[in-house]
Amino acid sequence: MNVQTIVGLEIHVQLATRTKLFCGCKLGFGDPPNSNVCPVCLGLPGTLPVMNRTAYEYAVRTALALHCQIARFTKWDRKGYYYPDLPKNYQISQYDLPLSFDGHLEIPLEDGSAKTIRILRAHLEEDAGKNLHEGLDHSRVDLNRTGTPLLEIVTQPDLSDPAECRILAEQLQRLVQYLGVSEANMQEGHMRFEPNINLHITDDDGAEYRTPICEVKNLNSFRALERSVAYEQWRQKQQWQRDHAYTQENHGKQNRGWNDDRGETVFQRAKEEAHDYRYFPEPDLVPIEMDDAWLAEIQASVCELPLARQRRFIEHYGLSAYDAGVLTAARSTAEFFDEAVAARGPAKRVANLITQQGLKIANERGCAVGQIGISAARIGQLAQLIEDGTINASAAAAVFDTMLTDQRDPETIAREHRLIQQSDAAALAVVLAEVLAAHPQAVADVKAGGKKTKKARGFLLGQVMQKTGGQANPQIVNTLLDESLQ
Amino acid sequence: MEECTALQLRDGIARGQYKSFEVTERIFERIERREATIGAFISTFKEEALEKAARVDSNIAAGRKVGSLAGVPIAIKDNLATRFGTTTCGSKILANFAAPYDAHVVEKLEAADAVIVGKCNLDEFAMGSSCENSGLQKTVNPWDASRVPGGSSGGSAAALAAGMCYGALGSDTGGSIRLPASFCGVVGLKPTYGRVSRYGLVAYGSSLDQIGPFGRTCADAALLLQAIAGHDERDSTSIGETEAPVPDYLADLDRPIEDLNIGVAREFFEAEGLDPAVERAVREALNIYEGMGARLVPLSLPHMQYAISAYYLIATAEASSNLARYDGVHYGHRTGRPRDYLDVYYASRAEGFGAEVKRRIMLGTYALSAGYYDAYYLKALKVRNLIRQDFQAAFERVDALCCPTSPEPPFKIGQKVDDPLTMYLSDIYTISANLAGIPAISIPCGLADGRLPIGLQIMTPAFTEDRILRIARMFEAATDYHARRPELKL
């Protein structure tokens, strides 16, 4: 028996515009209910929507990064359904002429290979509000979220296991954050996922079966996405094994909800109960025509994408895959790294400073690495000091900490704190001679060879360090030691 | 000053000859005397209006600059949102609805220093041809109280004809300005789609709706249009100033158009139910134009016969969506004791909407339903395109088209209420202009039996309101139908 899992993903991404998609209300999170509303997003009689041009540009920017075709002529459509959180009882969306289509996104798999997932389409639509079910006899409606611009991205059914779904979602999160089109903050519900899952089963007699396609609605974490797909894999196979007539032909598509506590999906509705949304062109908005100049302007706003950047860091700077991954997780970190390297900082040293110290502090403070108080140029200088042996790694760590609050250049700070390495071989030879003279037994131990050698060498080196206040360049001392004791 | 036009009144007030306060007082005296019979207003604003009038008077007395309608009492249709009073749309479902904002045209009237006296009755959500579909009250025709004033802007037309204002605003989706103008013996202009911002006009058929003026004369219609026309960034479908600048509609109004070619479509006189008195009056009007040197060009608008069918699919489809928001959840009428949340929808809408509105919601919902969309809505859009092309072809040959506004004079109250399809035929001449998006005007051109007004409709290409007004003015200057007034024993 061969079982293949087929998954297509619908992803809603909240765009980080200042204002809503069709009115001037601000986008907020956690504000008092119904405080970011106006006659337009309340859908009051007589009001009309006006398109937020920035939202459209953000959507096109994302579509370009997904290698999509950009439609030169699109329109808006009304999707009709009644729900208390939808004040007009229709949602302004895009139906048959989405702003973009036919793209793809490459995702890195866990085995180190890459896979290309095709994008069917990406279009813009407005979000609904939120129903607050707080009493037994009533609910309240908060319309702050109403009219928030959402980019809906639909993949082809190219995903074949739960991990791939999660990776795609994570890659997409990094992508939209990179592009600056979304904060993609999961806690604030900026990304929502709806996987469509079924199994293609070939039994031992060669007969082929397709289980009913199940759409799991409204998942808002990577973990829930991965778990729900895994659960559906298991559930659909179980159900088919019990009853081979459990097929798409017999049952049609169904919607299921996700119960996170129980870790299972729950049946919501079958195809025959599906809404007729009665789509038709939105007469209150004019169609959008995108000319070459506008498209070029948006094209220019697309930055280097995360995977390409990660590859460049590995191939061009010789960073490890792990470090490159950490440095490209956020666009601001990657740009900070690039800037520090551009300021003549040796790449590997810069990478170490950022990954081992900079990001640690940034994470503690909940800010970007560029906001911890040290400029990229200063990091570059510090990396250079390590590279040319002016200071050693532990001194560099101390200088770094001082630099958080001290704007002066790292060399000045190192000098003031007496952290500059003593690399003058002649001066160090004098110190070493004194040490050797003072500790004949240790010298003898080294010369004797055997198991005491290593310890004795370490002792002599330590004495030199002590006499120089820790500033001696250990490499040079080691060389001198070799020469003296041969 | 009773017999003044809005323009004459405006000039008189500006000169200090009249006081807006006194004019407005007289208007309210008349409203108090006549309104019980006519029923044109859903709400009036005496106190606010007199306050505004006094302010205009003192501004004029102090020599301060005032707007183009300073001190002139104006009425508006009650589907235009106002911060003051209610905006009912003639519907029980919005009977107590107070809008928190002003429609664009209301802002424009305020900016022009007009005195808004009241908000006028209409067929519920502007759906109707007689004003009988109002969920709130009846309006009668000032020329004959047993007859309808036309619809849907019947209140605006009746208020003007009964001397209860000097000008009025209405809205026109399939003839809702022109038909009542024709029935009440006043001038009514539906501008080009996009000429006037719809922001604050409660939508019926969004791709067809347009706000326009009623006046006693062409000059008054021009004066009001001037005040409300122009781009508004809150309405994406309102045209930009560079694409179609707003001309000075009064500047050349009295200058006749030379070498005028008037198209007369064969279909105009073949329409079902064309009343002989109307046909006579319109043919006479055409003769008058000919007498002034115009050339009558016979032509054909072959797709006009499908206009009503296309209209009742497109307008109702849009309406079914536009009216979805009246659900008892957020504002407006909510049923008393709903069984569950779905019942809030069902019962609130069942109680709040009248029969004609329900009929059109159902028709439109059906036309947009899966499996029927292509056969109905999409086909109607194709017909709409063909009608547009008919007009384009016609306007390559002629400057304007002339025909009746309505196939018959104002009919009896109750005569058609039980027969919606007959009622729909009242709009047979007016609907095409909405489908094509072109301007159209109705001007008085006769009286059936010497007492029932008849309207002449003129249509011209998009954004040529200046031309349509000049052509209409030529007829007005040559006749005195516009000066006839109903005999009101009130």
Side-chain angles (χ1 to χ4, degrees), chain A residues 39-40 42-51 78 82-90 141 143 276-286, chain B residues 97 100-101 193 198-202 206-207 233-237 318 321-322 324-327 329-331 341 345 349 365 368-370 373 377:
Chain A
V40 176
L42 288 175
L44 292 187
T47 57
L48 299 169
V50 176
M51 184 186 82
R78 291 186 184 177
Y82 282 79
Y83 207 59
D85 68 6
L86 192 66
K88 302 187 295 291
N89 286 322
Y90 60 79
V141 184
L143 297 177
D276 176 0
Y277 291 116
R278 298 188 305 280
Y279 279 102
F280 79 105
E282 163 61 282
D284 287 334
L285 287 163
V286 288
Chain B
F97 177 69
Y101 75 102
Y193 186 78
R198 294 183 292 120
Y199 189 78
L201 166 64
V202 179
S206 310
S207 73
E233 60 180 23
R234 294 169 301 185
D235 176 1
S236 316
T237 64
E318 293 176 1
S321 169
N322 286 331
R325 69 191 67 195
Y326 310 112
D327 58 5
V329 174
H330 300 95
Y331 49 81
Y341 105 84
Y345 292 148
R349 287 167 71 79
T365 304
L368 289 178
S369 295
Y373 182 90
Y377 184 75

Side-chain angles (χ1 to χ4, degrees), chain A residues 302-319:
Chain A
V302 179
C303 63
E304 185 185 21
L305 302 180
L307 266 184
R309 203 161 211 155
Q310 196 171 340
R311 235 171 247 150
R312 176 165 64 83
F313 285 3
I314 295 168
E315 285 161 17
H316 199 262
Y317 296 127
L319 301 189

